[in-house]
Amino acid sequence: MLVEVCANSLQSALNAQRAGADRIELCSELAVGGITPSYGLLKSVREMISIPVHVLVRPRSGDFTYTSNELEIMKEDIALCVELGFDGIVSGVLKTDFSLDIDRTKKLIEASGSLKFTFHRAFDWVRDPREAFGQLQSLGVDYVLTSGQRPSAVEGMALLKELLKDESNCVLMPGGGVKPTNVETFMAEGFKAVHLSGTKFFRTLPESDRVSMNSASFLSDTEIALTDLNTIEDVVNRVK
C-alpha cells in the first residue's frame, strides 16, 4: 500500500521521508485544508527530499470555485512545479452547484503535462460522487483523494467501498482521520493508497498573554475574505 503524507513544512517532509513514507503531498496551512506552498518551501523540498513529491495547487482557502484570474494563478503555479521537477500536482475545480468543473479541471491536468494528477478533497463536496469519479477517470486523473464525503475516511467507508468497485485507471485514495490504529482496515478492504498528515503539535513558546494572530472569523467554506473596495475608498477619502 502506498502511504502518502501531507506535509506542511520542510521539517514535516523530512520527517515523513525518514519514517519511510512513499510520497509527500506538499502544502501550507493545514488548518484551512491546505493552500499552495511558497516558492522557498518548494525549492527547499525539491533540494532535500528524494521521495516523490506532489504539490497542492490551491490559491486560497474557502470554496473550490475559482475566478479566471485565480485559474491563471493556478496554471502559473503548476508551471513552476513542472520547471522545478516535481512528480505530481494535487488540485481541482468545482462549479457553484457542487458539480465537477470538467473544463477547468481539464485545463489544470493539461498544464501538469506528464506529472501525476490528484483530484483533492473538493471531491467530498460533489453532488454525485459516483458520476464525478467516472468523469475524473475519463479525464485521466491518476488519484482521487477523499474521505467518502464524511469527516473521516473511517466514517465514509461505505461510500469509499462503493467507489472502489468503480476504480479502473484512477486510484481511490482514502484520506482524513487515517492513523496507525485504523490504517490496516483500509488495506484489508483493498485500497491501494492512503493519505494522512500524522500531525502532532510541538510547543515552541511558553504560554503567553500576547494578542492572538489567529482569526476564527476568516475560516469559512462558503465565504472568502477580500479587501473591500468601498471600505478602502472610505479610508483613503478621509485622509487624503
Side-chain angles (χ1 to χ4, degrees):
M1 171 177 273
L2 183 146
V3 177
E4 178 181 86
V5 175
C6 183
N8 64 340
S9 67
L10 175 60
Q11 189 60 56
S12 289
L14 289 168
N15 290 351
Q17 177 172 264
R18 184 179 178 185
D22 298 295
R23 189 171 73 206
I24 288 167
E25 181 203 306
L26 185 65
C27 71
S28 293
E29 300 302 332
L30 286 173
V32 295
I35 57 174
T36 307
S38 70
Y39 172 77
L41 179 54
L42 289 168
K43 190 170 183 294
S44 296
V45 166
R46 191 68 189 93
E47 292 171 351
M48 300 179 68
I49 299 297
S50 58
I51 62 176
V53 177
H54 291 190
V55 180
L56 176 66
V57 174
R58 185 185 180 209
R60 56 162 172 76
S61 61
D63 62 36
F64 302 99
T65 304
Y66 302 112
T67 65
S68 296
N69 287 337
E70 287 174 326
L71 190 70
E72 290 305 310
I73 291 170
M74 296 167 79
K75 288 163 66 177
E76 289 292 335
D77 285 335
I78 290 173
L80 175 61
C81 292
V82 171
E83 179 184 338
L84 289 174
F86 283 99
D87 303 277
I89 297 298
V90 182
S91 195
V93 188
L94 300 181
K95 294 182 178 180
T96 55
D97 64 357
F98 301 105
S99 63
L100 179 65
D101 191 327
I102 295 175
D103 292 339
R104 290 189 167 193
T105 298
K106 184 178 180 180
K107 289 179 180 179
L108 298 182
I109 295 170
E110 291 172 345
S112 302
S114 62
L115 275 62
K116 298 290 186 181
F117 193 94
T118 299
F119 193 91
H120 55 35
R121 285 192 60 196
F123 186 85
D124 288 320
W125 281 12
V126 298
R127 295 176 305 174
D128 187 334
R130 294 194 68 173
E131 178 186 48
F133 190 44
Q135 291 170 330
L136 290 170
Q137 295 196 85
S138 297
L139 286 174
V141 165
D142 298 286
Y143 298 87
V144 170
L145 173 62
T146 172
S147 64
Q149 300 199 329
R150 300 294 297 275
S152 75
V154 171
E155 295 172 85
M157 184 64 82
L159 176 57
L160 290 170
K161 289 166 67 174
E162 282 298 310
L163 294 173
L164 187 61
K165 298 175 183 176
D166 298 330
E167 184 183 88
S168 58
N169 60 308
C170 176
V171 175
L172 188 70
M173 182 164 54
V178 175
K179 51 190 175 183
T181 54
N182 61 33
V183 68
E184 292 180 11
T185 302
F186 296 98
M187 179 184 289
E189 293 292 348
F191 294 98
K192 301 181 183 71
V194 288
H195 170 101
L196 73 157
S197 68
T199 301
K200 288 187 178 180
F201 287 88
F202 297 87
R203 183 172 297 280
T204 58
L205 294 172
E207 291 289 346
S208 172
D209 60 357
R210 300 294 191 272
V211 61
S212 176
M213 294 296 151
N214 296 316
S215 181
S217 64
F218 277 65
L219 301 177
S220 174
D221 289 329
T222 58
E223 298 176 313
I224 61 173
L226 293 173
T227 297
D228 180 64
L229 174 66
N230 293 330
T231 299
I232 303 304
E233 281 184 339
D234 192 10
V235 168
V236 170
N237 290 336
R238 288 170 185 269
V239 300
K240 298 294 185 183

